[in-house]
Amino acid sequence: MPVTDWLTSAEAWAGAHVRETQYLAALGVVLGLLFGGFLIVLAARFCVRIVRRLGDVMAARALRTDKTPGYRIVLAKPAGRKRGATLKWLQAALTDHLSAFNFGAPFRIMRMSPLLGGLAPRTVERARRRMAASDADLFVWGERRGRKEDGLVLHGLTRGGGLTAAEARLFTLRLPARETSLEGAMPKIAAFLMAKKLQPGLGNPQSFRPEKISLLAEALSAMLDHEGPMPVAVRNEVEGDFCASAVHVAEEAGDLAGLDRVIALRREHLTEGAVQADPERAIQARMDIGRALLARAAKKYEPELVREAIGYLSQVVEALRADPSIMRAQAASDAMFKAQSLMETRKRFAVNFGT
């Protein structure tokens, strides 16, 4: 084909397809830009992960090498909306109120990057690794789930009781999610619940002197006056600890100031519907009322109080007798008694008559 004919054909084709060629070129540019943007996003996310990882490593090392006495607490930024505000609120609650419940023991708080996944096994394992790396006594992470009354879900691992990071107990606390619901007594409530994880003995007031528990009972009583929303599980726990503390102070120190409230609170769990809904709580309510009445009778003897206390405590004994675990424990105790009696009989026989 002559060159002139070829050029003429090329010019004709280009004239016919120039628009399509321009479209293809534009599409190529757009795809190139999108691919470049995708690579930039990937690189940015990778850099953020590296920075967070380095920050976590440095925080863990700083906490682990700190030789000052006290508790080590790590707070991972919660997942979900307003994570920064949630972390700031929780840290402020612990900073302001934790020392009131751990009786002045020093502590240090360190922040780490978010830990996503709730209670998924992989997430819990990552939390244990972070806990071990920082030698922390308490590691907390969580998430916001909407704006419900129990929408702020805090998960944690605690080494309270001398456990290792591998043995640390897993726990979950539910608090209100709305920022306005986290005011008032709620920071103190959160600090107290965390203090119980660090010091499990707080759930057993008999382990402490009455003068210390008296201050705790006053604080718990004030928490029960909180007017904002409070999850039922949290209120029940605070109420149970208040009643146990107030009764212990009354029994040991003769301070009867909190007994009227203990009796009033616990009577609410003895209505027919409440007993059917939660028999175990009804048993504890009767136990607390009986002990409160006896503490009052010990201060000023009144036969009516003693008889009323016996009535409540008798109901507790009858309820516990039907508990399978109590029955098994009693059967095991009876068997142990028989075994010991048999051994003593055999020893006496050997001494008196020989074998």
Side-chain angles (χ1 to χ4, degrees):
M1 176 183 295
V3 175
T4 55
D5 294 342
W6 183 84
L7 291 174
T8 302
S9 299
E11 290 176 358
W13 183 90
H17 298 85
V18 65
R19 182 169 296 179
E20 289 81 354
T21 304
Q22 291 175 347
Y23 287 157
L24 289 174
L27 180 61
V29 172
V30 171
L31 290 176
L33 291 174
L34 289 176
F35 183 70
F38 177 71
L39 290 179
I40 292 173
V41 171
L42 284 182
R45 293 184 64 180
F46 178 75
C47 291
V48 169
R49 288 183 179 181
I50 292 297
V51 171
R52 285 179 176 177
R53 177 60 179 165
L54 290 175
D56 290 345
V57 170
M58 293 176 63
R61 182 176 298 174
L63 204 59
R64 189 179 187 87
T65 57
D66 186 2
K67 301 302 180 182
T68 56
Y71 294 112
R72 297 181 176 92
I73 302 173
V74 175
L75 303 179
K77 188 176 291 186
R81 297 173 56 252
K82 300 182 179 179
R83 60 179 66 176
T86 302
L87 182 63
K88 184 178 179 181
W89 176 85
L90 182 57
Q91 183 171 354
L94 295 178
T95 301
D96 294 341
H97 304 293
L98 185 61
S99 59
F101 302 115
N102 63 11
F103 307 115
F107 59 91
R108 183 178 178 184
I109 299 176
M110 191 69 70
R111 297 185 181 188
M112 284 192 179
S113 61
L115 196 60
L116 309 180
L119 290 178
R122 183 179 177 182
T123 304
V124 175
E125 184 58 31
R126 289 176 60 194
R128 289 190 187 277
R129 288 200 299 268
R130 290 192 188 185
M131 185 180 221
S134 58
D135 195 26
D137 299 290
L138 183 69
F139 188 96
V140 182
W141 72 100
E143 56 188 327
R144 280 181 180 267
R145 297 177 180 175
R147 306 178 71 184
K148 300 178 182 178
E149 186 179 89
D150 58 351
L152 177 55
V153 184
L154 299 177
H155 308 296
L157 289 167
T158 174
R159 293 171 56 188
L163 303 176
T164 64
E167 300 167 339
R169 290 187 298 272
L170 188 65
F171 66 87
T172 297
L173 301 176
R174 295 179 177 273
L175 300 175
R178 292 176 180 268
E179 291 186 18
T180 54
S181 301
L182 294 175
E183 300 172 354
M186 196 54 65
K188 287 186 178 181
I189 293 172
F192 170 69
L193 296 176
M194 292 295 178
K196 282 185 66 179
K197 303 305 178 184
L198 284 169
Q199 287 185 300
L202 282 174
N204 182 24
Q206 288 79 3
S207 304
F208 299 92
R209 296 194 302 271
E211 54 269 25
K212 286 188 174 183
I213 297 301
S214 176
L215 298 175
L216 177 62
E218 291 179 9
L220 292 172
S221 180
M223 292 178 198
L224 291 173
D225 293 330
H226 177 63
E227 296 181 355
M230 187 188 306
V232 175
V234 172
R235 178 171 289 278
N236 288 342
E237 184 171 354
V238 173
E239 179 185 315
D241 290 326
F242 162 71
C243 292
S245 300
V247 171
H248 174 61
V249 172
E251 290 175 338
E252 298 297 324
D255 185 357
L256 310 183
L259 292 186
D260 287 338
R261 188 167 195 184
V262 170
I263 294 172
L265 287 171
R266 287 322 208 182
R267 286 191 191 278
E268 294 178 3
H269 300 290
L270 298 182
T271 61
E272 184 176 353
V275 172
Q276 293 177 352
D278 195 343
E280 300 240 345
R281 182 167 293 278
I283 292 174
Q284 187 60 51
R286 292 189 178 101
M287 174 72 79
D288 291 339
I289 293 175
R291 290 177 59 194
L293 293 172
L294 286 178
R296 180 171 289 171
K299 187 76 172 181
K300 182 181 179 182
Y301 180 74
E302 295 182 22
E304 295 80 7
L305 292 179
V306 177
R307 284 193 288 268
E308 186 179 358
I310 291 174
Y312 282 109
L313 296 175
S314 298
Q315 290 178 297
V316 173
V317 172
E318 290 299 324
L320 292 178
R321 281 178 180 171
D323 190 301
S325 60
I326 300 296
M327 295 174 67
R328 285 195 297 269
Q330 185 63 47
S333 177
D334 293 342
M336 285 290 295
F337 178 76
K338 289 180 181 179
Q340 292 172 352
S341 299
L342 182 60
M343 290 182 66
E344 292 297 328
T345 302
R346 183 61 185 174
K347 287 179 181 179
R348 287 195 297 270
F349 179 83
V351 170
N352 295 330
F353 304 102
T355 56

